[in-house]
Amino acid sequence: MEQRRLGQGLTVSAEGLGCMGMSQSYGAGDDAESVATIHLALDLGVTFLDTADMYGPFTNERLVGRAIAGRRDEVTLATKFGNQRDESGSFLRVNGEPDYVRSACEGSLQRLGVDHIDLYYQHRVDPSVPIEDTWGAMHELVEAGKVRYLGISEAAPATVRRANAVHPMAASQNEYSLFSREPEDELLPTLRELGIGFVAYSPLGRGFLSGTITSPEQFEEGDFRRTAPRFQGQNFQKNLDVVRKVQELAKKKGVTASQLALAWVLAQGEDIVPIPGTKRRKYLEENVAALDIKLTKEDLAAIDELAPTGVAAGDRYTEENMARVNL
């Protein structure tokens, strides 16, 4: 398995595994299949696992903890705090208060069944708390040995600079795919200037770029995509038209649409690590095979032409959730 470096010292598998969908957002879960998927990921060398306390809430960390029991030394474990939810699943607030940072970390360590977290992200920025205060508490966690490296998710470039000045940042995690190329404008240049890695979540456009989604009716009750703007009305059809072009290009290349979309993300720089999420072994194996695909300059030019920045119709999130990104 190819390795890539995030920031100044964290080395991870070139492709990670996003575990959120095993516990929420994409229909009913199957814990046994999810654990088997994590075990297969480790066997294949996909050792960079991504979770968060809010997933479930709390249940995804417990699931990941059970799956890695006895194999902790093989895993680079990433989790997040900041989207505060209660046990019922209700969203309370984005919380960046120092005391909350400390208590959230303790909770994650307990649920995961580990004595340290390899990469600890601030999941969203709390506009009511100076970023220096939040990152001061995160720095203390590193000093205490509870966390090895620090990251942030969906923060504005100026906020990244301020946080990095408090403690060196290993990675910024943001949505990035052929449908979400906004980080290329300001964020990626900032990260590269500062020597910070980039972790790309939803690199398959929340499954859209897999080519397996042909109708909104496919989504189960409780599936995040039933209300996501890109999957609604005319937006759905416009985006499906783009996906079909991706599929045509993938067919010419002799690969699946998912593999082409992942290979494109991987080709954007060795400082970029995609973490496609899946809860099934068959999709995991398909995703891992994307690492062997080499895209030519002609391939990349063709992809740029059919999926330029801004090609996707509709926002990534609802208006309420879009208000919590790029702060």
Side-chain angles (χ1 to χ4, degrees), residues 155-161 172 174 176 180-196 198 271 309 326-327:
T159 305
V160 168
R161 289 184 184 279
S172 175
N174 298 74
Y176 186 53
S180 298
R181 296 183 61 173
E182 298 82 2
E184 294 172 358
D185 295 336
E186 294 182 53
L187 182 65
L188 267 170
T190 300
L191 299 178
R192 285 169 172 160
E193 175 196 334
L194 298 173
I196 299 169
F198 184 87
D271 54 348
T309 301
N326 201 35
L327 297 179

Side-chain angles (χ1 to χ4, degrees), residues 1-322:
M1 172 61 65
E2 176 191 347
Q3 303 290 299
R4 293 190 171 187
R5 195 172 77 169
L6 297 175
Q8 299 306 308
L10 180 58
T11 300
V12 301
S13 53
E15 190 177 292
L17 176 62
C19 299
M20 179 189 76
M22 297 174 179
S23 302
Q24 69 164 55
S25 298
Y26 296 107
D30 178 337
D31 283 2
E33 177 63 18
S34 293
V35 168
T37 300
I38 292 172
H39 287 167
L40 178 59
L42 300 184
D43 293 341
L44 294 173
V46 178
T47 55
F48 184 34
L49 305 182
D50 184 88
T51 183
D53 57 4
M54 74 163 285
Y55 300 159
F58 314 120
T59 55
N60 194 242
E61 285 186 327
R62 295 186 184 108
L63 173 69
V64 171
R66 291 197 304 274
I68 67 171
R71 302 184 70 172
R72 175 65 179 98
D73 59 348
E74 299 175 50
V75 176
T76 304
L77 186 59
T79 192
K80 315 175 196 74
F81 75 91
N83 280 318
Q84 188 177 6
R85 296 171 72 180
D86 62 21
E87 289 286 349
S88 73
S90 297
F91 180 79
L92 301 178
R93 58 171 287 200
V94 172
N95 194 337
E97 294 179 4
D99 284 347
Y100 179 72
V101 175
R102 290 184 277 267
S103 65
C105 181
E106 292 298 333
S108 289
L109 289 169
Q110 184 177 30
R111 286 185 292 272
L112 290 162
V114 299
D115 62 5
H116 71 278
I117 295 160
D118 295 305
L119 177 56
Y120 199 42
Y121 292 103
Q122 181 177 5
H123 207 164
R124 291 291 185 272
V125 174
D126 180 351
S128 71
V129 177
I131 197 73
E132 291 80 4
D133 293 354
T134 304
W135 272 65
M138 294 167 70
H139 169 76
E140 291 172 9
L141 295 174
V142 176
E143 293 287 294
K146 295 178 180 181
V147 171
R148 291 179 62 219
Y149 294 94
L150 301 180
I152 206 163
S153 182
E154 295 286 1
T159 305
V160 168
R161 289 184 184 279
R162 290 170 57 193
N164 188 63
V166 176
H167 185 96
M169 186 181 294
S172 175
Q173 183 178 138
N174 298 74
E175 185 166 352
Y176 186 53
S177 71
L178 289 173
F179 272 178
S180 298
R181 296 183 61 173
E182 298 82 2
E184 294 172 358
D185 295 336
E186 294 182 53
L187 182 65
L188 267 170
T190 300
L191 299 178
R192 285 169 172 160
E193 175 196 334
L194 298 173
I196 299 169
F198 184 87
V199 174
Y201 76 84
S202 295
L204 299 178
R206 305 188 185 280
F208 222 150
L209 289 161
S210 70
T212 60
I213 297 169
T214 56
S215 167
E217 303 305 315
Q218 289 175 242
F219 305 133
E220 299 174 31
E221 196 65 39
D223 191 310
F224 159 86
R225 293 167 292 189
R226 290 174 72 97
T227 57
R230 287 186 180 168
F231 296 87
Q232 307 304 307
Q234 290 185 336
N235 289 346
F236 185 94
Q237 188 56 52
K238 289 178 181 177
N239 293 329
L240 185 60
D241 291 343
V242 177
V243 172
R244 286 179 174 149
K245 292 177 184 176
V246 174
Q247 285 180 289
E248 289 171 13
L249 200 58
K251 190 175 181 180
K252 291 177 185 175
K253 189 79 175 170
V255 301
T256 68
S258 290
Q259 290 169 335
L260 185 70
L262 277 174
W264 178 84
V265 173
L266 287 159
Q268 300 312 301
E270 293 187 358
D271 54 348
I272 297 177
V273 178
I275 52 167
T278 184
K279 51 189 173 182
R280 296 183 179 90
R281 284 170 284 183
K282 64 177 180 178
Y283 294 129
L284 172 72
E285 291 179 306
E286 180 182 347
N287 292 343
V288 172
L291 288 157
D292 296 324
I293 298 169
K294 302 304 176 191
L295 299 179
T296 65
K297 289 182 180 179
E298 291 75 20
D299 291 332
L300 292 168
I303 293 169
D304 276 341
E305 187 175 349
L306 67 88
T309 301
V311 72
D315 281 335
R316 300 188 285 132
Y317 292 111
T318 60
E319 186 176 351
E320 179 186 13
N321 286 323
M322 284 299 294

